[in-house]
């Protein structure tokens, strides 16, 4: 049985994956977040769940590597325009798969909810790219990755810093054939709040949603918008300041996981080999590069990460920068976001009030 305060749990899934009798189930609470639930009558009291919890057992960075920072983007315009930032994830994924490796990252399921998925097909890489602003369900991915690693297969895993920590803790060691990539995370959002947002839009557009695309670049990278396509052919567009879900996330901090307000995985050194993000505010020395198509922030945290990054030469543009420059507009890399004033109020009503109506009321308060 996991001996951890609920508010500290990140939902990384390490405990449920390590349980020898599969007695720990990730179960949604009243806010829609998944937490481990144990049947105490079946528990062996073996302590394995506690031993792999990255909150109970702090992982030490073993990289001994001074972080290197780059502004970068794919030279493939299609990849770049269809990625959240500069398309670096896609280029790393292509490199791994071209060498018969596997890539694990978040995709949308048929309900447009996020879940982690493993692929060895280049055709499926687009499923894993782009930001999903809802917490991904990790499932049995850690077990599957361990089986691949033990067979000497190369695996690229992409996830939040806490998901990376959970995977490392579950594995119990650093594998030479595992490339670990996290991203600058502001916090993960409630699946319940996200689903309520989608249902509200379906009601408004009188149609089932076909595709969700956050940070669409139709108006440029810096003015990113949310694009949602419906089965009836209609489309929804709204920028970050007018889309109600993004307002609730970015401005009011309404529905992030409780542990995100006191994240244990901010700052440096990091556990990952590579950290990706948007290089907001970057001014490139090479003025021939169109910044509005998206620029990735790439922070190399290990010699392994540097090796793989250098192998992208010829496929990407890159320009070295400084960590201080990168953090100027990426404070979420080192600081947690405070809990919003109306968070409790939001969750007290979301089961019975339309998302758009509730958000409008909060905004007008």
């Amino acid at each position: 049985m996991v001996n951890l305060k609920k508010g500290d749990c990140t939902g990384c899934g390490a405990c449920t994956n390590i349980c020898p009798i599969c007695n720990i189930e990730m179960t949604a609470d009243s806010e829609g977040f998944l937490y481990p639930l144990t049947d105490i009558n079946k528990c062996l009291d073996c302590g394995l769940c506690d031993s792999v919890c990255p909150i109970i057992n702090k992982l030490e960075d073993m990289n001994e590597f001074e972080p290197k920072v780059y502004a970068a983007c794919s030279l493939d315009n299609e990849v770049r325009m269809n990625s959240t930032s500069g398309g670096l994830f896609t280029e790393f994924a292509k490199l791994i798969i071209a060498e018969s490796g596997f890539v694990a990252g978040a995709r949308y399921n048929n309900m447009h909810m996020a879940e982690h998925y493993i692929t060895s097909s280049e055709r499926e890489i687009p499923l894993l790219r782009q930001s999903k602003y809802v917490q991904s369900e990790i499932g049995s991915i850690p077990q599957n990755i361990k089986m691949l690693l033990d067979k000497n297969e190369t695996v690229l895993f992409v996830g939040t810093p806490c998901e990376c920590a959970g995977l490392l803790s579950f594995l119990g060691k650093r594998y030479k054939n595992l490339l670990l990539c996290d991203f600058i995370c502001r916090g993960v959002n409630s699946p319940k709040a996200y689903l309520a947002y989608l249902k509200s839009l379906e009601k408004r557009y009188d149609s089932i949603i076909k595709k969700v695309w956050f940070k669409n670049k139709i108006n440029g990278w810096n003015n990113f918008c949310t694009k949602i396509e419906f089965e009836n052919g209609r489309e929804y567009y709204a920028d970050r300041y007018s889309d109600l879900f993004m307002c609730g996330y970015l401005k009011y901090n309404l529905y992030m996981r409780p542990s995100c307000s006191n994240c244990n995985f901010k700052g440096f050194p990091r556990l990952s080999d590579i950290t990706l993000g948007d290089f907001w505010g970057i001014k490139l020395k090479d003025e021939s590069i169109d910044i509005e198509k998206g620029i990735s922030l790439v922070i190399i945290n290990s010699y392994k990460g540097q090796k793989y990054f250098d192998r992208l030469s010829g496929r990407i543009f890159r320009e070295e920068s400084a960590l201080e420059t990168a953090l100027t507009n990426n404070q979420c890399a080192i600081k947690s976001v405070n809990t919003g004033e109306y968070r409790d109020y939001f969750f007290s009503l979301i089961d019975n009030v339309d998302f758009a109506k509730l958000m409008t009321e909060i905004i007008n308060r």
Side-chain angles (χ1 to χ4, degrees):
M1 182 175 177
V2 185
N3 296 303
L4 181 70
K5 292 181 181 179
K6 181 181 177 183
D8 294 332
C9 175
T10 67
C12 73
C15 57
T16 188
N17 276 276
I18 201 68
C19 181
I21 59 171
C22 303
N23 188 40
I24 303 175
E25 182 179 355
M26 297 302 287
T27 305
D29 72 347
S30 62
E31 296 180 348
F33 291 110
L34 297 178
Y35 291 91
L37 181 65
T38 306
D39 184 341
I40 58 174
N41 295 315
K42 297 179 181 178
C43 181
L44 301 177
D45 200 25
C46 63
L48 285 175
C49 52
D50 280 350
S51 73
V52 298
C53 176
I55 302 299
I56 295 176
N57 306 281
K58 305 296 183 182
L59 297 173
E60 292 185 11
D61 174 78
M62 302 298 291
N63 287 325
E64 297 181 355
F65 183 88
E66 188 71 25
K68 292 186 178 180
V69 177
Y70 300 87
C73 63
S74 171
L75 295 178
D76 184 324
N77 193 57
E78 185 276 332
V79 166
R80 193 175 172 201
M81 289 302 295
N82 287 287
S83 299
T84 295
S85 49
L88 266 291
F89 158 72
T90 296
E91 295 299 347
F92 279 118
K94 283 183 176 182
L95 178 64
I96 296 294
I97 289 176
E99 298 179 354
S100 301
F102 294 78
V103 178
R107 70 171 181 180
Y108 287 123
N109 62 20
N110 57 8
M111 294 293 292
H112 309 292
M113 304 301 285
E115 63 180 15
H116 261 68
Y117 176 71
I118 299 178
T119 185
S120 60
S121 170
E122 185 173 324
R123 293 193 304 273
E124 291 192 310
I125 291 176
L127 298 176
L128 305 182
R129 67 186 178 201
Q130 301 173 357
S131 296
K132 284 94 176 168
Y133 285 103
V134 60
Q135 182 160 28
S136 176
E137 185 171 354
I138 201 75
S140 60
I141 292 296
Q143 294 179 31
N144 297 334
I145 289 176
K146 187 177 188 304
M147 287 190 288
L148 290 171
L149 294 173
D150 287 340
K151 292 178 182 178
N152 292 318
E153 302 285 2
T154 300
V155 178
L156 165 63
F157 176 83
V158 182
T160 62
C162 59
E163 287 169 341
C164 289
L167 175 61
L168 268 183
S169 192
F170 166 79
L171 294 174
K173 67 176 183 178
R174 284 186 176 270
Y175 284 76
K176 292 182 179 179
N177 47 328
L178 172 64
L179 182 63
L180 203 58
C181 179
D182 67 1
F183 51 85
I184 294 178
C185 179
R186 189 177 189 275
V188 294
N189 290 312
S190 158
K192 174 180 280 191
Y194 169 74
L195 189 59
Y197 161 73
L198 297 185
K199 287 183 176 179
S200 180
L201 282 175
E202 287 185 332
K203 180 180 178 181
R204 173 180 166 186
Y205 282 79
D206 193 27
S207 180
I208 295 172
I209 290 172
K210 182 170 67 174
K211 182 178 180 179
V212 177
W213 187 345
F214 288 110
K215 296 178 77 172
N216 181 274
K217 295 176 182 174
I218 189 171
N219 296 318
W221 172 55
N222 279 285
N223 297 312
F224 65 81
C225 77
T226 299
K227 176 184 178 182
I228 296 181
E229 301 173 9
F230 295 86
E231 294 285 355
N232 63 6
R234 300 178 69 186
E235 295 181 342
Y236 164 85
Y237 292 92
D239 64 25
R240 62 186 297 181
Y241 304 105
S242 57
D243 179 76
L244 293 178
F245 184 78
M246 296 305 286
C247 284
Y249 173 44
L250 297 174
K251 185 175 181 180
Y252 293 94
N253 301 336
L254 290 177
Y255 27 74
M256 286 182 286
R257 192 177 184 99
S259 60
C260 295
S261 63
N262 187 29
C263 178
N264 284 267
F265 306 102
K266 299 287 187 184
F268 297 88
R270 296 176 86 87
L271 297 170
S272 63
D273 298 296
I274 300 164
T275 298
L276 296 178
D278 293 274
F279 210 135
W280 301 121
I282 185 63
K283 294 181 180 179
L284 297 174
K285 297 174 184 176
D286 188 339
E287 296 181 353
S288 69
I289 301 297
D290 184 357
I291 291 177
E292 276 304 303
K293 290 182 179 179
I295 300 294
S296 292
L297 166 62
V298 183
I299 304 176
I300 305 299
N301 303 310
S302 72
Y303 292 104
K304 185 197 300 184
Q306 187 72 58
K307 181 186 75 172
Y308 276 98
F309 184 61
D310 289 343
R311 291 175 63 190
L312 296 182
S313 177
R315 299 165 60 166
I316 66 169
F317 161 83
R318 75 185 216 183
E319 188 173 285
E320 194 162 0
S321 187
L323 186 58
E324 294 76 15
T325 302
L327 296 180
T328 299
N329 293 296
N330 271 300
Q331 285 292 294
C332 287
I334 56 176
K335 294 181 180 178
S336 298
V337 174
N338 293 328
T339 300
E341 178 183 359
Y342 300 113
R343 187 184 190 282
D344 290 343
Y345 181 76
F346 174 87
F347 279 112
S348 72
L349 294 175
I350 191 56
D351 287 327
N352 301 306
V353 180
D354 176 76
F355 181 90
K357 182 178 179 180
L358 179 55
M359 279 302 307
T360 301
E361 178 192 339
I362 291 174
I363 291 171
N364 292 330
R365 275 178 164 243

